[in-house]
Amino acid sequence: MTDKQPDGIVRAKTALDYITGRMEKARNRFGAPPEKVQLVAVSKTFSGEQVEPFLVAGQRVFGENRVQEAKDKWPELKARYPDVQLHLIGPLQTNKAREAVALFDVIQSVDRDKLAGVLASEMERAGRKLPCFVQVNIGGEEQKAGIPVDEAVDFVARCRTEHGLEIVGLMCIPPDGVPAAPYFAQLAELAAKAGVSEISMGMSGDFETAIAMGATYVRVGSALFGKR
């Protein structure tokens, strides 16, 4: 059977219930501040046919890394499920900003002034004002995107005052192979200093730790959809 048939929907609902149950247990156990933590189902590399059972099962917040892949997959799905909220969670090139503004509902990867300016212009042109997150290179890794930690608070202010973006939160991807908790704690501290209320951190292997540190969004892919 294909994933569009009932057994695919059952598998999707089972996976969603398992992850959301763990999220709620973590929030209750650690007394995390947010009343509710949002699950971003990371559907990158999975086809529309593989994603749709999760839509049928009730999931409405999804994350994609690449504009082109999302453009190929989501317009048809969003036409059938218009209450979907689609987050761009991967690096964004300025020449893809127009398409990103047209397709996505939230941009989580604002990481430089040039991009902030282009996004602001494209939002004005399209008559859309999307909530944005600033991506922080929390581990100072050369191979990863994100604004440096020591520039993050000033960059948030600049995005708001100079570019007119609606910055609602911070996002990060901690280094691999080391405990994530100190990095998540640091992002939460930065968010407080920057005056933003949303914190996007934590993935399939560490989302419970992220919730303990105050995450308001966790980005979970393989634990829902399976291995890529």
Side-chain angles (χ1 to χ4, degrees), residues 30 92 153 201 213:
F30 296 112
L92 178 59
V153 173
M201 59 187 185
M213 297 297 168

mmCIF file with all atom_site columns, all heavy atoms in Angstrom, residues 30 92 153 201 213:
data_model
loop_
_atom_site.group_PDB
_atom_site.id
_atom_site.type_symbol
_atom_site.label_atom_id
_atom_site.label_alt_id
_atom_site.label_comp_id
_atom_site.label_asym_id
_atom_site.label_entity_id
_atom_site.label_seq_id
_atom_site.pdbx_PDB_ins_code
_atom_site.Cartn_x
_atom_site.Cartn_y
_atom_site.Cartn_z
_atom_site.occupancy
_atom_site.B_iso_or_equiv
_atom_site.pdbx_formal_charge
_atom_site.auth_seq_id
_atom_site.auth_comp_id
_atom_site.auth_asym_id
_atom_site.auth_atom_id
_atom_site.pdbx_PDB_model_num
ATOM 1  N N   . PHE A 1 30  ? 10.195 19.195 33.213 1.00 0.00 ? 30  PHE A N   1
ATOM 2  C CA  . PHE A 1 30  ? 11.182 20.239 33.445 1.00 0.00 ? 30  PHE A CA  1
ATOM 3  C C   . PHE A 1 30  ? 10.557 21.582 33.797 1.00 0.00 ? 30  PHE A C   1
ATOM 4  O O   . PHE A 1 30  ? 11.275 22.544 34.062 1.00 0.00 ? 30  PHE A O   1
ATOM 5  C CB  . PHE A 1 30  ? 12.075 20.399 32.213 1.00 0.00 ? 30  PHE A CB  1
ATOM 6  C CG  . PHE A 1 30  ? 12.891 19.168 31.910 1.00 0.00 ? 30  PHE A CG  1
ATOM 7  C CD1 . PHE A 1 30  ? 12.640 18.415 30.773 1.00 0.00 ? 30  PHE A CD1 1
ATOM 8  C CD2 . PHE A 1 30  ? 13.887 18.754 32.775 1.00 0.00 ? 30  PHE A CD2 1
ATOM 9  C CE1 . PHE A 1 30  ? 13.384 17.278 30.490 1.00 0.00 ? 30  PHE A CE1 1
ATOM 10 C CE2 . PHE A 1 30  ? 14.636 17.617 32.507 1.00 0.00 ? 30  PHE A CE2 1
ATOM 11 C CZ  . PHE A 1 30  ? 14.383 16.866 31.362 1.00 0.00 ? 30  PHE A CZ  1
ATOM 12 N N   . LEU A 1 92  ? 19.043 30.672 3.204  1.00 0.00 ? 92  LEU A N   1
ATOM 13 C CA  . LEU A 1 92  ? 18.320 31.307 2.106  1.00 0.00 ? 92  LEU A CA  1
ATOM 14 C C   . LEU A 1 92  ? 19.255 32.211 1.319  1.00 0.00 ? 92  LEU A C   1
ATOM 15 O O   . LEU A 1 92  ? 19.875 33.120 1.876  1.00 0.00 ? 92  LEU A O   1
ATOM 16 C CB  . LEU A 1 92  ? 17.147 32.127 2.657  1.00 0.00 ? 92  LEU A CB  1
ATOM 17 C CG  . LEU A 1 92  ? 16.310 32.896 1.641  1.00 0.00 ? 92  LEU A CG  1
ATOM 18 C CD1 . LEU A 1 92  ? 15.686 31.969 0.600  1.00 0.00 ? 92  LEU A CD1 1
ATOM 19 C CD2 . LEU A 1 92  ? 15.228 33.715 2.352  1.00 0.00 ? 92  LEU A CD2 1
ATOM 20 N N   . VAL A 1 153 ? 22.338 40.010 19.337 1.00 0.00 ? 153 VAL A N   1
ATOM 21 C CA  . VAL A 1 153 ? 21.393 40.968 19.918 1.00 0.00 ? 153 VAL A CA  1
ATOM 22 C C   . VAL A 1 153 ? 21.337 42.239 19.089 1.00 0.00 ? 153 VAL A C   1
ATOM 23 O O   . VAL A 1 153 ? 20.242 42.749 18.774 1.00 0.00 ? 153 VAL A O   1
ATOM 24 C CB  . VAL A 1 153 ? 21.776 41.269 21.385 1.00 0.00 ? 153 VAL A CB  1
ATOM 25 C CG1 . VAL A 1 153 ? 20.902 42.392 21.944 1.00 0.00 ? 153 VAL A CG1 1
ATOM 26 C CG2 . VAL A 1 153 ? 21.636 40.013 22.239 1.00 0.00 ? 153 VAL A CG2 1
ATOM 27 N N   . MET A 1 201 ? 14.734 25.488 18.631 1.00 0.00 ? 201 MET A N   1
ATOM 28 C CA  . MET A 1 201 ? 15.941 24.682 18.855 1.00 0.00 ? 201 MET A CA  1
ATOM 29 C C   . MET A 1 201 ? 15.517 23.276 19.240 1.00 0.00 ? 201 MET A C   1
ATOM 30 O O   . MET A 1 201 ? 14.439 23.070 19.801 1.00 0.00 ? 201 MET A O   1
ATOM 31 C CB  . MET A 1 201 ? 16.836 25.297 19.935 1.00 0.00 ? 201 MET A CB  1
ATOM 32 C CG  . MET A 1 201 ? 16.203 25.480 21.299 1.00 0.00 ? 201 MET A CG  1
ATOM 33 S SD  . MET A 1 201 ? 17.283 26.407 22.431 1.00 0.00 ? 201 MET A SD  1
ATOM 34 C CE  . MET A 1 201 ? 16.326 26.307 23.968 1.00 0.00 ? 201 MET A CE  1
ATOM 35 N N   . MET A 1 213 ? 15.225 23.601 28.181 1.00 0.00 ? 213 MET A N   1
ATOM 36 C CA  . MET A 1 213 ? 15.933 24.885 28.165 1.00 0.00 ? 213 MET A CA  1
ATOM 37 C C   . MET A 1 213 ? 15.058 26.038 27.643 1.00 0.00 ? 213 MET A C   1
ATOM 38 O O   . MET A 1 213 ? 15.554 27.147 27.492 1.00 0.00 ? 213 MET A O   1
ATOM 39 C CB  . MET A 1 213 ? 17.193 24.763 27.303 1.00 0.00 ? 213 MET A CB  1
ATOM 40 C CG  . MET A 1 213 ? 18.204 23.778 27.841 1.00 0.00 ? 213 MET A CG  1
ATOM 41 S SD  . MET A 1 213 ? 18.834 24.288 29.465 1.00 0.00 ? 213 MET A SD  1
ATOM 42 C CE  . MET A 1 213 ? 19.695 22.799 29.966 1.00 0.00 ? 213 MET A CE  1
#
